[in-house]
Amino acid sequence: MPPLLSLGELPYSTSLTPTSENRGLPQRKAPHYHSPSRSNHAKPLNGIIPIPSASVPNQQSIFLNPSELHQARTLLDQLDGVSVQGLVLPEAAGHAILSLRSSTCEFKFKKPQGLATNLNNIIPPTTANSYSGTSSRLGRMANSILLNTDVAFRYPTPSSPEPRDSATQVSSTALPIKLPVTPQTPKHRPRNETAYPLNSTTPVNVEHIMGSQRTNLQLKVVVPPLPQSSDANDYRVFHVESPAKNPKQAVSKKRKRDEVNGNGISAPSKDQRALSDATFTAFQELTSDIFEAENDSQLQSSSNGLPNRETYFVQHEGDGGASLTINPETNVKLESCLQKVISLGRFKDITVSQLCKIQDLCEGALVFADLLDVRIDPGWGSDEISSWVERAESVNASLRSARTVLRIMVGGRDEKQIYSEELLQKVLSVLYKVMDTCVSPVVESRTSGTDSSVFEIASAQKKVILQLLHNATKIMQLLLELLTKVDLAEVTITSIEFFVIRLLFVENAHAEKESVLGIHKFESIRRTTMNMTAQLFLRYPEQRRFILDEVLVSLQKLPVNRQQARQYKLEDGTNIQLVSALLMRLVHSCATRSVSQSSKRRKFNLAENDSTATSRSQGHEDQDSGSEDAERTSDTENDNSEGHTAGNQKRGVSSTAPLAKDVRLLYDAAGSNAQYIIEFFVSRASTASRTGDQPHRHLLDMFVGDLVSVLNFPDWPGSELLLRALFARMERITSSDKSTAPMKNMALEVLGAAGSAILDVTTNARHLAKALENDDSELSATLIQSFEDHLTNQVEDGTLLSWTGPYRAVIEYLGASSSDPQTIGAQGYHLTQWTKMVLWGTNSTNATLQVPSAQLELANELSRIVFGRKWSSSGDFNLVSGTQCRLAYDLIILNMGFGRAFNQIFQILLRAVRSDQTTVRSRGLKSVTQMLEKDPTLLDRMPHVIRLIINCASDQSPMVRDSSLTLIGKCIVLQPALEAQVLETVLGFTNDTAASIRKHSMKLLKDIYLRNKSQKTRAEISENLLHRVDDLDEGVSDLARQMFEDIWLVPFWNLSPAQNSSVERAIALKDQVTLIIRTVQRGERTSQVLQPLLSQALGSKSKNPDANTTACKAIVAAAFQGIIDTAELPDRPEQGSILQTLTVFSRACPKLFTQSQLEHLQPYITNLSTADDLNIFRSVVVILRCVMPTLPVMQKDFLKQVQEDLLKNIVKLAKAELDEVVACLWTINGELGNIEKLINIEISVLNKLYSSRLVDLTDTKQHAELSKIKRLILLAGHFAKHCDFESQSEKFSSKLSWWAGSSVAECVIDSIKPYAAKHQPLSLRSVAMDNIGMICQAWPKNFNRPEITLMFQHVLKDDDPELQRIVLSSFRDFFTVQDHQIEVKVSSGERDPLAHGKLGGSMTASDNDGAAALIAQGFLKDILRIALSSQGPYALTATEVIASITRQGLVHPKECGPALVALETSTNPKIAEVAFQQHRNLHQQHESMFEREYMRAIQEAYSYQRDVVEDLYGFTTEPFKSKLRLMYEVIKTSKSKYQSKFFANFCAKIDFDVTKLDVSADPPTHLQYARFLVENLAFFDYGRVEDVLQATSCMEKIVAGTGAGIAHAINTEVFHVRLEPGADNSASVTEQASCAVEVPLKDIDPLRLRRLTTASMILSMLWEARTFLRRLYGINASQQRRENKAKASKDLSKPPTKANGITGDKFVDSISRTMRSLDTHDLVLAQCKEFADLLAIDNEVKVPAEDGEDDQGRLQTPSVEDDGESLVPPSGGSRATKRKSSVSISGTPHKKKRGRPPLGGRKKSTKSVDEDEDSY
């Protein structure tokens, strides 16, 4: 047998191109293959009978053409017709007979394979009659020649069938035995008559022969002595052990499993031999019939008894004429017979001429198919489709012929004739045509689109196309087999490579309904394509880079959608990309020794075997001799290898170095290709984005995802190597200062996925180890212990690399599980990696061997397997289970370079969190989050991680804060114990400036709330969520309302007080009540927010009003139980706290209460002895007032008791309590109908007030009387407010003699009005004015009374602020009621119980509209003045009134709009909030109108800051924010065009006319105003990149436009710059100083100088703001050009990203320094000089073309864009271009021509202004 092949080596390698291995033998070797008996051959008989030759027969026919064949047959027929007896033979025949008689040639025939050894079966006794039977079948002439010649021929003599021991058997096969033959015929008989019986009929005495041979045969093994030059250490001594007593022990396990013959094929049984003979005979008969039919067709006739042409052939008409090809049925039979003959080992018995003849017959079909077009045209009709079907069937038949051709080529023959390069190209041509023009377009067609017609036609002809696909698949499988066995020409290899790569990237459908052929059918052929690509990559190393380039470049053809891309299904169901699978396979195949790498050695061994077989050709068993000699050769190699190992053990590592070097080369080749692939992906993805046109970024993500998916699959080891290379590349990107932020983000994302993959492997290994705990095998115990050692960082390399370690387990499992090329390649990679690790260790950069002496023998054994011997399982290792294999492979991964890099990956991510780039910090946090999700124990092992995350919560960038918040949420889920540590941070996020972060924090707080049972924690969270209900962002407000409902009401939806709920729910309800009480007690603001929130949740607009009402009723009922007994509630809350909470529910929805509950409250209003009693009293009264109007029926006794208690304590109550009590009394009066009591009280009060009207209350002695009057005014006012006495005016008139009016309300006002006069004490006036306003609110027509209007006007204009607050409060409360009524009317039928109930009708007035209009028109100016004059509570009240007026649309929006904008800048947050809300509403309703008012609003805001806030800065600190930020937040909601106009108008307010500039003030007014605007521009929170570009563009236009004239004036008037003729007028002021004529300062107009300095200061500040913005947001010149050319770009609409570390401190310092420029003359000159240099040097100062502006209408500087120069100078200190003077030397502006200015003659400045941008 041939020597054992290495992994990946294939059994056949026959080249189609001439090589040194397959050329003819040289002359010196020819005698070994030449038989002396064959030297004298007979001469041919007239050229008809060919000369017998032992050489390979020629595939060409002996006849040149059919005519010669016809002539030969004619001659034979003539000879047969001649009588031999008595006639003279033709001269030619005579010469032939004489030649044959004189010949001494003896023909010997090899024994056919599988010939039985029983001589009785081979040589049966027969007679000479058999000869006659044989000769009778010959023609007359042939028979005559046979009888007249004596040519001996014989079969090989069979050996004895007796069993022999192994030693005898080896001897008999090794030594040739010649059997003597005893002639039994007379000597006078013809030689031929004697030879024939000798070969066929003569019995042989085998026993005699074999016995004699045995007696004379002595077996000896001659061992030659060692050469003198040899070393004894090179040899190894083997000790032969005695055979075991048990015969079974003497046979190895492998021998029992695989009994093979000399050829490596299982020894056939009798049935198999019979089947083999029958199959071979059938093949011979089929081919004989085909050949005869073909010959007949050439003669255009058929003989009797021969098959005709139509049975086997079909005729095609082509351009070259008619041609015959084998028909499809015959082709099927022929290929089937061929396949069976090959599988049964009889293929070598077929002559080469037969095979070549078959290929010739198939070639015609291939030529014909190449002329046919199988392309499908979308516009075809039925006739064209029918014609196409015929062509497709013909091509299908040709594919069958191609299969037959390839089947012959892959059979394993060594003859070169059957490997025709031309024929193979024809096969490939047909295959390419079918796949490229037919199958691929059909696969890519879809039901819709341009190729829908092709889809319809192909669907109708699906069966035909599937047959084409089936045959094409078979051909590709045969091509794959051919690639594994035969070396092809480079041209052929290249064409196959292009074809398979094209096929790899054909886009298959993602759904079955979109596919004609079916997804899986085409994917099966694509798998074959992948196998072909991998085989090409493995076999031809010189083609590897080309294959990789083609595959990688074609990646952009992949579908981006993941569902479409991942169609390669693994064994466990995981789907990955086919290209990913291919790349991984290509990588790990590099580490497997290919056939081409060992071809020379293999071919040499084959040649040696041929030589051995030929030299023994005279023996009786040539085939066996050759096979056993090959086996002996292999055994000799093994012995030499073992001797080499023994020598290595003595000499050390030096003898291992050659093998180690080869192993290193294999492993490095795999690593090099992995790096090449990764570099391609990364380099392309670094310049692309996910949303861009190029898919490389998305492809990288998918590729990394595929690598991670198969990382722990032992049959895909290339993923680990690729990930290792990927990590190294990403590490370089993150550590490089030249890497951009997008590149670092990409690297961090990839590293996060890679780190998560390592954690997945660890987790998987932990599960596998647990699953093997009950396994008692030694391997399982070893693997579990190794994994435990790995977790503690104590695993040793020796354990992992041992002979019985993880590598051995993986290789054994792969070898036993599958024999497909993928698994074999993976097995080879593991073996190479194992060998490399043993020889070189884990350090890939180490250049020296690291083989310990204990592992030296293992290293040599692995090296021999890698480079020579095939891996085979031995009996010392038990069967490996799948679980053991996976755990072993996980151990390998975790201890390779990629697995050991986990800590380094995690540290890189943590460093990224501290980066100075915003997006990098955010991406780092997300990647850390991803890894923490995989392994929460990282928080325990690295406590500094959580501190780092918390620090990021205060980052300047919203993106980083959001990522930090996300990570905090993950940490809490993974480690709940961290809640207490991070709760305060999360609560702070609810007040973040970014709405998205507020929403995110609220969701996180909700999760914490639901997990946490602490009442304190829940109360804090509830308070924060409630405050978000009033958030300015509607999304945040809506989310807060929904969360409130989810956490407070939803858990108790189905809980009713009347039902018997479970104990758990009852306890939960009590806990909830306690929580609500705690929350309400946290502040008055909470109660104010909770009341409308409950109203909305229980109102008709709510999604679940009924369920929410049920829950609230249960809460109210539980609270009442706590009032009765505080022990019923957890923590025993006080009764006052419970009642205060119930007041919120009563105001929100009085229907929640019942009469019985109110009855429990009556005792709490009886006694008012302490302050606590007063608080409880107030809460009870509020509940009673709100609830009683809604109850259908109430007990009168209860109402009377309540009325008596209230009236009894009425004189003790303060204003707030009195208001509630009077309202409650009026409500009770509605049920009891005893209004007389209330009338009597009011009449009594009015009489007392009337009688005291003349008392001088300013006298200090009247203090008691003053207090009494105040009490009376309160009683009169509140009764007049809540009680409807208008119908009882007669009773009042009868009892009030001094009053004769008709309105009781007017009577009360008239009674109180004297006490509001100016001469009264202020405290009394306040009380009187307050009650008058309160009565007017209830009865609005009184606002229209002239005396009331005049009184309010005097108060608002020039009276005390406290009185102004009271009047404004009256207005505010009035409008509040109006707003509430409007909301009620807008709502769907909901009625306000206080305004429209049966007990609250007194609050309804008919003169509301008139009063509102009067207030708005008569008092608005005064209200605006008050609001803009201070920031105290009076201003807040005035702002609320303004908001109400504008809300109701009582005035034009422009009258209040500017004031609202100014009030937004107030330092009082309440004023700013009210103004902002109403400003936003106005902007949404009147956007177009407001556009024209914003500039006036900005002026108003500046005045407000100057006069009221007394702060002229345009920003607030900690952090820096624009004072006009709220205005800009509203403007950001408008469209892009609107914002562009705003910035243009805003910057125009900064611009000025220097001749009209007022500089009288110190500092000048416009300078201060410009500073305010510039600083606002600098600190706006821009929402889009386009906004930043627009703002900076407007700034540059002003500086370039106005600044050009200012700079010229400074140069000419201040510095008197004059240039000599011919001087460079582009020099800077500094360079021109030498030629400047200085004028004394006394001759310079101070006013002109001050104006020029002020102008330069304004423009300098504007340029500083522009520079600061560009630095802050990273704006460069390319973005600015893109803004000018493509404003609609989607990149410009993205939010800008702020650079970290730029806070604005230096910008503020620069502005302050500029503002001090007017302090001294030196500073003035310095400022002027600096500004002149700015415009002279800075290359970005340019004059844009204005719309409609004359080209010559203003002073200009050269346009940098016209010059083709970048707006931003490159880094490295590049210089900016100086500006040429835009005016003439004489100072008169010249007309500059538009266009590109000349570039010559310009000098470069040594510094660019933009270099200062880094300072911010």
Side-chain angles (χ1 to χ4, degrees), residues 1030-1206:
D1030 289 338
D1031 195 276
L1032 300 179
D1033 187 273
E1034 292 183 1
V1036 177
S1037 178
D1038 294 340
L1039 180 62
R1041 293 187 183 94
Q1042 184 61 43
M1043 285 186 176
F1044 158 76
E1045 186 174 330
D1046 292 340
I1047 64 178
W1048 272 19
L1049 302 181
V1050 172
F1052 309 103
W1053 270 2
N1054 299 324
L1055 190 61
S1056 175
Q1059 298 175 350
N1060 294 324
S1061 59
S1062 63
V1063 177
E1064 292 79 5
R1065 299 198 68 181
I1067 295 175
L1069 178 61
K1070 293 179 180 180
D1071 290 338
Q1072 185 64 34
V1073 172
T1074 304
L1075 172 64
I1076 295 174
I1077 295 171
R1078 278 178 169 269
T1079 305
V1080 173
Q1081 293 300 311
R1082 295 184 67 85
E1084 183 180 357
R1085 174 98 184 273
T1086 304
S1087 301
Q1088 295 174 354
V1089 175
L1090 181 58
Q1091 177 182 335
L1093 182 59
L1094 285 171
S1095 300
Q1096 186 175 7
L1098 301 174
S1100 59
K1101 292 184 178 180
S1102 175
K1103 297 180 180 179
N1104 303 285
D1106 297 335
N1108 291 337
T1109 301
T1110 301
C1112 288
K1113 285 183 177 180
I1115 293 172
V1116 169
F1120 268 98
Q1121 292 179 1
I1123 294 174
I1124 298 172
D1125 184 4
T1126 56
E1128 289 290 330
L1129 298 177
D1131 299 336
R1132 293 177 175 269
E1134 298 180 355
Q1135 290 181 337
S1137 300
I1138 300 175
L1139 289 170
Q1140 184 181 357
T1141 303
L1142 288 175
T1143 58
V1144 178
F1145 283 87
S1146 66
R1147 288 192 176 104
C1149 184
K1151 296 180 181 180
L1152 300 175
F1153 296 77
T1154 63
Q1155 181 177 349
S1156 60
Q1157 292 172 347
L1158 295 184
E1159 293 176 356
H1160 290 295
L1161 300 178
Q1162 190 271 332
Y1164 296 99
I1165 60 175
T1166 304
N1167 187 14
L1168 289 179
S1169 57
T1170 62
D1172 294 338
D1173 294 338
L1174 181 60
N1175 294 331
I1176 294 175
F1177 178 88
R1178 184 189 305 114
S1179 300
V1180 172
V1181 171
V1182 171
I1183 295 172
L1184 292 174
R1185 182 186 69 85
C1186 295
V1187 174
M1188 285 191 299
T1190 62
L1191 294 177
V1193 179
M1194 296 188 65
Q1195 295 181 4
K1196 293 187 177 182
D1197 294 338
F1198 169 72
L1199 294 177
K1200 290 179 180 180
Q1201 185 63 41
V1202 171
Q1203 188 182 48
E1204 293 178 359
D1205 293 336
L1206 294 178

Side-chain angles (χ1 to χ4, degrees), residues 33-52:
Y33 297 90
H34 180 66
S35 175
S37 62
R38 302 178 186 177
S39 60
N40 298 322
H41 298 289
K43 294 182 179 180
L45 179 61
N46 291 336
I48 298 175
I49 302 176
I51 301 174

Side-chain angles (χ1 to χ4, degrees), residues 1357-1404:
K1357 285 184 178 180
D1358 53 2
D1359 214 327
D1360 187 81
E1362 177 63 22
L1363 296 179
Q1364 292 178 352
R1365 183 193 64 80
I1366 293 173
V1367 173
L1368 293 174
S1369 298
S1370 300
F1371 294 162
R1372 178 197 60 194
D1373 295 341
F1374 170 74
F1375 283 117
T1376 301
V1377 174
Q1378 298 299 308
D1379 292 338
H1380 180 68
Q1381 291 177 354
I1382 293 174
E1383 293 176 0
V1384 172
K1385 292 178 182 179
V1386 172
S1387 62
S1388 58
E1390 182 179 359
R1391 295 176 59 86
D1392 181 14
L1394 298 181
H1396 300 282
K1398 65 176 182 178
L1399 300 178
S1402 63
M1403 297 198 58
T1404 301

